[in-house]
Amino acid sequence: TYLANIISSGTKSAPYSFISGLDPSLYDGVPEGNGIVINRWLSEDINAGPGDTLEISWYSPDPQNRLTVQKKDFVVARVVGMNGIWADSLLMPEFPGIAGSESCTDWDAGVEIRMDLIRKKDEEYWNKFRGTPKAFINYEMAKELWAGNFGPATSIRFNKGIRESEITEQLKAITDPYKSGFTITDLPKVSLNAANESVDFSTLFLSLGFFIILSALILLILLVSTFYEAKKDEVTTLYSIGFAKREIEKLLFFESGAIAITGALLGAFAGGLFNLIIIEALNSVWKGAVQTSTLISGFDPLSLFTGFSVTVILILVILKIKSSGFLRYLSKPETGKTIKPSTGNSLFYIVIFITITILLVVLSFFPENNSTIFSYLAGVLVFITMILIVRRHYVRKQQSGIYSFRKKSQISESYYSFHPSQAIAPVLFLAAGLFAVIITGVNRMSISGNMLRSSGGTGGYLLWGESSVPIRGSLVSETGRKELGLDDPELKELTLVQGRVTSGNDASCLNLNHIASPPLLGIDPSVFIRKGSFSFAAKMKGIGSSNPWLTIEYPPANGSVYGIADQTVLQYGLKIKVGDTLKIRAESGQVLNVIISAGLKSSVFQGYVIIGNENFRRFFPSVPGNQVFLADGIPESTQLYLNILTERLSEYGVHFEPAGERLASFFVVTNTYLSVFTILGGIGMILGVTGLGLILIRNFNQRKRDFGLMLAGGFSLRSIQKIIFGDHARILIYGILTGIISALIATRPSIMNGSDLPWKTLVIMILLVLITGLTALAVSAKSVRKDSLINRIRKE
């Protein structure tokens, strides 16, 4: 049953009359199609009879929930008396503001009622018959015209004789709570699942810490070798006085093992302390990353024991290998023959790695959703390849045969050809630290000019807005803007895009938990297509060159529609990829399959899954208005737009902010974690510098006899210092180049995206590493004294 504003026939009309849509199986005589039955009172009032055409008008909500007047013509099929089933006042439901009113003039229906149209005879009809309908049409026609957010019926009739208890039992058996709009959730289970499936940062830490772990292991090997070399005279003495090889090996193993286990204990303590510092930083200076200050450190004894045990086992294996090798070397008789390291299959591996690297780089251009991982793997392979190239360079420098030293550089080249690890280790240390620092620095995100363009993360819009209460009026049409007070001349250039939102959990990077039911955002993408707004990080196969925005407007098929979300949301919040299906329960209770057709590059839409406006209204018809807005206009008037929109729409609890600021709020999270990883890179740089210093000291100690002989053979002390400086300067430069080149290849997608990268900071950092390294080398080379070299010769 619905309220008609006017029922007219020719020049006569009756205002505000109820019309019922009835089932012909229950009400014999209800016509099909646009036929209508009217009662005798209405027939006499407007002088209408069978065969006459009636024009009926009523209020109907449009897509923006504004009431508009709709009209339709009906043909009178018959006139019925004011008795029996045609005189049932209970057909009018309990409309708030109408039912119980003493007169028509007391109606408060929530819509405009023109009291001047209500006549005395209308009041008399209300007093006598109340809400008894004056006209009747077919139920199917009524449902087509008037069914809306509140369902397809206003009352349900049951047969005589049926008891209320029977009705209740039957309804209990067939009613599906989901189809009635209820959502039933096991909150503890959902919360635990969300936390257990949250973003796993341990994997990210391990990935970025891989080079640091590798550098630490190599540094350990060098330290062990240095330690055993320092024990050479002691071990030789033990051999001389009768100690067995096994006893000496056990002595060395336990002595170095005790030191190593002590170091591992200190490392475990340092790891826990580092964890505490990171958590405290996330609760304070890095609070933007987690949006809370309530994080606490958790220490799992099993994890702590596992990490400690793995470390100790690795150390003991290295000690066992090094001690056995050291003793085998000492126990061999002196033959005077030197064994030169072989290049072996190094060239073969270099060619293989270069080929795979080229393949990975090529692949990173095609499957856009995997470009990051392919580029990272390519960078790692370049890192390994360059280390192999450095080793091959040093090993091949000294050819077999008679050694001639016509150039000063040939002396060092000869040394490193027999001891390539002395050059490779510091290269690896420096490169690993630089690699970690550069890939974190390049991936830091900031609001650049590109981000503010149409193709950027703001879509070229000036403002982003959200409201606490849905705005029923339209901010797009002239009428709607006038109703909301947005028709000022200074707002002439202001354009708006609006969207409807369902309830759901925030799926942006501000929420670290796994999200199963994100909010859906219904939007008309036509303006994005015209304007070229936003860019895509990945597209579903089959779209081809088509604009992915078109897919979200496709009509539903078998309960499935297409959706678009931020690639970040897909990867971390929802843990799905382009082409996957997200299952959301629609308002009717049915499962709505949202097929992800594309992933957006970082945008202001982070946290939402976007579907087409028409599809949104189809599956969520009761959402009364819009809650998300994008505003564009004259950039110089941004603050004016912000002030007016906030003021005029304040009753809806709106919050507008510059679109760039909203985008920057998401970058805070990413940049905070990159800051943490930069600290790991800094640790790697410390290892690199430490390794370089250790190698410098070790090389000098091992080559003291060489330098003393050179001094006795006519080389000046200054020449020797230059050789030392030049050797290690080349190693420093090799390490820097290896780290830079491999890191740039690993971060190619970020560089190619045109983001404003911190090149200045990176260049300054690289120059500081270079200058600091060269200065340290110069000071170390200057510390070489003539007296110490002469004393070494005298000892010989």
Side-chain angles (χ1 to χ4, degrees):
T1 299
Y2 207 79
L3 178 65
N5 293 338
I6 299 291
I7 301 177
S8 59
S9 175
T11 58
K12 293 192 174 183
S13 62
Y16 304 115
S17 306
F18 287 101
I19 302 176
S20 281
L22 305 174
D23 191 330
S25 65
L26 299 177
Y27 283 78
D28 186 32
V30 175
E32 297 289 337
N34 64 340
I36 189 169
V37 173
I38 61 175
N39 65 14
R40 192 169 303 283
W41 189 96
L42 181 61
S43 174
E44 294 173 354
D45 184 35
I46 61 175
N47 194 23
D52 291 339
T53 298
L54 305 184
E55 183 184 78
I56 299 177
S57 67
W58 65 91
Y59 282 128
S60 178
D62 67 3
Q64 301 301 328
N65 273 312
R66 298 168 301 181
L67 291 178
T68 59
V69 176
Q70 302 291 323
K71 295 181 180 180
K72 185 173 178 61
D73 292 339
F74 290 87
V75 178
V76 178
R78 59 186 289 204
V79 178
V80 295
M82 298 290 293
N83 52 45
I85 60 174
W86 307 106
D88 187 355
S89 63
L90 294 178
L91 286 173
M92 186 201 83
E94 292 289 318
F95 284 124
I98 296 180
S101 299
E102 292 298 323
S103 66
C104 296
T105 54
D106 291 335
W107 285 1
D108 182 14
V111 297
E112 182 183 359
I113 300 291
R114 291 184 57 187
M115 297 302 176
D116 59 303
L117 296 180
I118 298 176
R119 305 159 300 177
K120 183 178 180 181
K121 62 167 62 177
D122 297 320
E123 292 282 11
E124 291 173 353
Y125 185 92
W126 176 260
N127 291 332
K128 187 174 182 179
F129 301 107
R130 290 297 173 182
T132 301
K134 298 174 185 176
F136 309 89
I137 62 175
N138 187 281
Y139 172 73
E140 292 301 323
M141 175 62 72
K143 185 170 68 170
E144 180 183 332
L145 296 177
W146 301 321
N149 299 343
F150 301 102
T154 54
S155 61
I156 301 172
R157 292 294 173 90
F158 299 92
N159 293 330
K160 289 183 179 180
I162 189 171
R163 295 190 302 274
E164 182 179 346
S165 60
E166 293 180 67
I167 297 173
T168 304
E169 290 302 318
Q170 291 288 336
L171 290 176
K172 281 183 179 179
I174 65 172
T175 301
D176 183 351
Y178 287 113
K179 291 184 178 180
S180 302
F182 284 91
T183 300
I184 302 169
T185 305
D186 183 347
L187 284 178
K189 182 179 179 181
V190 170
S191 300
L192 284 172
N193 288 341
N196 291 334
E197 298 177 20
S198 61
V199 178
D200 181 14
F201 285 102
S202 62
T203 303
L204 295 176
F205 271 87
L206 282 174
S207 298
L208 284 170
F210 170 76
F211 290 102
I212 298 173
I213 296 170
L214 182 62
S215 298
L217 288 174
I218 295 173
L219 189 59
L220 172 66
I221 293 171
L222 289 173
L223 287 169
V224 171
S225 297
T226 303
F227 175 74
Y228 285 162
E229 285 173 6
K231 292 280 186 179
K232 184 176 179 180
D233 291 342
E234 181 181 333
V235 171
T236 304
T237 303
L238 291 174
Y239 266 127
S240 301
I241 61 178
F243 277 83
K245 179 181 175 182
R246 186 176 183 82
E247 292 175 330
I248 297 172
E249 182 180 355
K250 188 183 296 185
L251 183 65
L252 285 175
F253 182 77
F254 280 111
E255 184 178 352
S256 55
I259 298 171
I261 291 173
T262 303
L265 285 171
L266 293 173
F269 174 78
L273 181 62
F274 184 76
N275 183 51
L276 286 171
I277 294 171
I278 291 295
I279 295 299
E280 184 58 34
L282 289 172
N283 282 331
S284 53
V285 293
W286 291 335
K287 185 178 177 181
V290 290
Q291 306 296 305
T292 181
S293 58
T294 60
L295 293 181
I296 57 173
S297 299
F299 289 94
D300 177 12
L302 180 61
S303 297
L304 193 64
F305 177 75
T306 302
F308 173 77
S309 301
V310 169
T311 304
V312 170
I313 290 171
L314 277 172
I315 291 172
L316 294 179
V317 169
I318 291 171
L319 292 177
K320 175 65 177 175
I321 295 171
K322 295 298 292 183
S323 61
S324 299
F326 175 64
L327 292 176
R328 279 198 306 271
Y329 168 73
L330 287 183
S331 61
K332 285 183 179 179
E334 290 287 346
T335 63
K337 184 180 179 181
T338 57
I339 301 174
K340 180 183 174 184
S342 172
T343 58
N345 295 323
S346 60
L347 182 60
F348 172 76
Y349 290 122
I350 289 171
V351 172
I352 292 294
F353 285 154
I354 290 175
T355 304
I356 297 174
T357 300
I358 294 172
L359 179 62
L360 288 173
V361 171
V362 172
L363 286 175
S364 70
F365 282 92
F366 293 103
E368 296 182 1
N369 53 330
N370 292 321
S371 62
T372 301
I373 185 66
F374 280 135
S375 296
Y376 181 79
L377 291 174
V380 172
L381 284 180
V382 168
F383 186 97
I384 297 171
T385 303
M386 294 189 72
I387 295 295
L388 291 176
I389 291 173
V390 170
R391 182 184 184 279
R392 184 175 177 81
H393 164 77
Y394 278 111
V395 172
R396 284 178 58 85
K397 272 295 181 181
Q398 181 62 49
Q399 302 297 328
S400 59
I402 299 173
Y403 301 125
S404 61
F405 302 113
R406 295 187 177 88
K407 297 179 182 178
K408 296 176 185 178
S409 60
Q410 289 178 322
I411 300 174
S412 294
E413 289 168 359
S414 175
Y415 170 77
Y416 285 115
S417 69
F418 286 96
H419 305 283
S421 61
Q422 306 304 313
I424 294 170
V427 169
L428 181 60
F429 295 147
L430 287 170
L434 272 174
F435 184 91
V437 171
I438 291 175
I439 62 173
T440 52
V442 168
N443 283 295
R444 291 186 73 87
M445 307 183 77
S446 61
I447 298 300
S448 62
N450 291 332
M451 290 286 185
L452 301 178
R453 293 177 184 149
S454 295
S455 59
T458 64
Y461 288 89
L462 300 176
L463 300 175
W464 166 273
E466 293 177 279
S467 66
S468 303
V469 179
I471 299 178
R472 293 176 177 269
S474 171
L475 277 70
V476 177
S477 67
E478 291 184 12
T479 304
R481 290 176 64 160
K482 185 174 182 181
E483 291 174 356
L484 295 167
L486 300 176
D487 57 342
D488 296 355
E490 58 265 34
L491 302 181
K492 183 179 179 181
E493 300 299 326
L494 175 66
T495 59
L496 291 141
V497 175
Q498 55 193 10
R500 301 184 180 206
V501 181
T502 64
S503 59
N505 296 318
D506 179 22
S508 73
C509 60
L510 301 179
N511 185 358
L512 301 181
N513 291 325
H514 171 58
I515 302 302
S517 298
L520 296 183
L521 172 60
I523 222 161
D524 179 5
S526 58
V527 65
F528 297 157
I529 297 172
R530 291 196 306 270
K531 192 176 177 181
S533 296
F534 305 102
S535 299
F536 295 93
K539 300 177 185 178
M540 187 176 66
K541 292 180 180 178
I543 292 180
S545 59
S546 300
N547 193 319
W549 285 118
L550 294 171
T551 61
I552 67 173
E553 292 193 299
Y554 293 166
N558 300 321
S560 299
V561 298
Y562 288 100
I564 291 174
D566 245 42
Q567 187 66 19
T568 305
V569 171
L570 296 177
Q571 185 173 355
Y572 295 107
L574 303 178
K575 296 185 183 297
I576 59 176
K577 59 183 182 297
V578 169
D580 288 348
T581 299
L582 186 67
K583 295 186 180 295
I584 302 289
R585 194 166 290 278
E587 194 172 287
S588 63
Q590 74 179 98
V591 174
L592 174 63
N593 298 310
V594 181
I595 303 169
I596 305 299
S597 60
L600 288 168
K601 293 180 181 178
S602 294
S603 74
V604 291
F605 288 122
Q606 190 175 137
Y608 295 100
V609 174
I610 307 168
I611 64 174
N613 218 4
E614 290 300 321
N615 289 330
F616 186 97
R617 282 198 291 266
R618 184 189 297 268
F619 291 100
F620 302 94
S622 68
V623 176
N626 301 290
Q627 286 184 268
V628 168
F629 310 93
L630 283 169
D632 196 14
I634 304 172
E636 292 76 16
S637 301
T638 300
Q639 191 60 45
L640 175 67
Y641 298 152
L642 181 63
N643 294 337
I644 292 179
L645 288 169
T646 302
E647 178 188 350
R648 305 281 170 85
L649 303 177
S650 58
E651 61 182 295
Y652 298 99
V654 299
H655 170 70
F656 276 90
E657 62 180 325
E661 289 185 9
R662 173 176 171 82
L663 195 58
S665 67
F666 299 129
F667 292 169
V668 169
V669 179
T670 304
N671 290 340
T672 299
Y673 288 109
L674 288 176
S675 297
V676 179
F677 299 145
T678 301
I679 292 176
L680 292 176
I683 295 173
M685 292 298 297
I686 293 172
L687 282 175
V689 174
T690 304
L692 183 63
L694 178 65
I695 294 296
L696 178 64
I697 294 171
R698 190 178 182 206
N699 286 354
F700 179 69
N701 287 332
Q702 287 185 340
R703 299 180 65 188
K704 271 186 177 180
R705 289 190 301 175
D706 299 345
F707 295 144
L709 186 58
M710 290 168 63
L711 187 66
F715 282 90
S716 67
L717 180 63
R718 185 174 181 82
S719 298
I720 295 172
Q721 290 174 340
K722 283 183 178 181
I723 291 173
I724 295 173
F725 178 82
D727 292 345
H728 293 91
R730 279 192 293 274
I731 291 173
L732 176 67
I733 293 171
Y734 288 155
I736 291 174
L737 289 177
T738 300
I740 292 173
I741 294 172
S742 58
L744 292 180
I745 291 176
T747 55
R748 183 202 61 79
S750 298
I751 297 172
M752 297 296 290
N753 284 341
S755 304
D756 279 356
L757 303 176
W759 294 117
K760 184 177 179 181
T761 303
L762 293 175
V763 170
I764 291 174
M765 179 194 68
I766 293 167
L767 288 176
L768 284 175
V769 171
L770 180 62
I771 293 170
T772 304
L774 292 176
T775 303
L777 292 177
V779 172
S780 300
K782 283 286 185 182
S783 65
V784 177
R785 293 286 180 260
K786 187 174 183 179
D787 294 342
S788 62
L789 296 180
I790 292 174
N791 289 333
R792 184 74 183 192
I793 298 172
R794 286 173 178 165
K795 286 183 180 179
E796 292 289 337

